[in-house]
Amino acid sequence: VKAQYNKAINDPRMRPVTIYQLQEIDLPLDATGGAGDQQILMSRALEAQEYVRRFKGCKSARSAAEGIFNVKIGKTFDADGSKLPKQLKAALDKAGPGKAIGPGRNKTGLQVIGFCGKRSITPPKPAMPPREAVENAVLNEALDKQEETYMVELRKKAYIEYKGASQSQ
């Protein structure tokens, strides 16, 4: 029982997990194609940099977007730190909570990622079973072994007679 308890405590799923709370902010490009695309991209990049400068945390995401046309602010979400790309994780750690990183390019335009916060979650450790439970488990194991040997011996001594329907009369 002690070995099972130690195995449960040392399970990799029992390690603490770092959770990053993030928010996606999109600045879409309404490019129709042509020579103006580069100018639109540069203009949106400047707006995105202005947004990053104004961003002071996820609560201020809407106020940071004032005066910037067509900004889509997503809901905050939690991301497992071990599953984030290393470059993104390093950039977030360097910027720190309450800051934004970007802009970066995505399918629809430019994207800024707001870093709301970081926390560590540790699963609760299982409690050691009480003494009575351990004693009962050991006793049950011993009784199971005795029962098995008794049943094997009964099977050896058993005599089973098979009779057909014609022999029973």
Side-chain angles (χ1 to χ4, degrees):
V1 175
K2 182 87 171 169
Q4 291 173 339
Y5 178 75
N6 287 336
K7 184 179 177 184
I9 287 199
N10 295 327
D11 191 336
R13 294 174 289 184
M14 296 299 287
R15 291 192 184 115
V17 177
T18 303
I19 301 294
Y20 287 78
Q21 190 174 16
L22 305 174
Q23 187 172 34
E24 286 183 315
I25 300 100
D26 287 324
L27 290 92
L29 294 174
D30 296 326
T32 57
D37 283 352
Q38 198 63 25
Q39 291 175 341
I40 293 171
L41 180 63
M42 291 302 291
S43 172
R44 285 307 256 177
L46 290 173
E47 289 174 338
Q49 288 174 352
E50 180 64 22
Y51 182 86
V52 169
R53 190 183 63 73
R54 289 188 207 165
F55 188 86
K56 302 292 182 225
C58 290
K59 288 184 170 62
S60 73
R62 298 241 181 258
S63 63
E66 281 182 24
I68 302 174
F69 175 72
N70 195 10
V71 177
K72 296 180 181 176
I73 299 171
K75 293 182 180 179
T76 58
F77 62 94
D78 292 336
D80 185 352
S82 63
K83 295 180 181 171
L84 286 175
K86 291 184 182 193
Q87 292 175 333
L88 177 61
K89 187 175 175 184
L92 289 170
D93 288 337
K94 184 178 177 186
K99 302 287 184 194
I101 60 169
R105 199 62 205 262
N106 66 6
K107 294 177 195 170
T108 59
L110 297 176
Q111 180 183 48
V112 173
I113 297 177
F115 184 20
C116 304
K118 179 166 96 169
R119 66 184 190 279
S120 182
I121 297 176
T122 305
K125 298 218 181 280
M128 183 70 173
R131 183 177 180 92
E132 295 91 28
V134 174
E135 287 174 352
N136 287 339
V138 170
L139 183 62
N140 284 339
E141 280 183 34
L143 289 175
D144 285 345
K145 288 178 185 175
Q146 286 179 351
E147 178 187 5
E148 187 62 34
T149 57
Y150 181 70
M151 290 303 291
V152 166
E153 192 159 321
L154 279 178
R155 285 185 193 111
K156 284 181 184 176
K157 292 180 180 180
Y159 176 74
I160 300 171
E161 185 176 333
Y162 294 100
K163 290 185 176 180
S166 63
Q167 294 174 343
S168 63
Q169 294 177 1

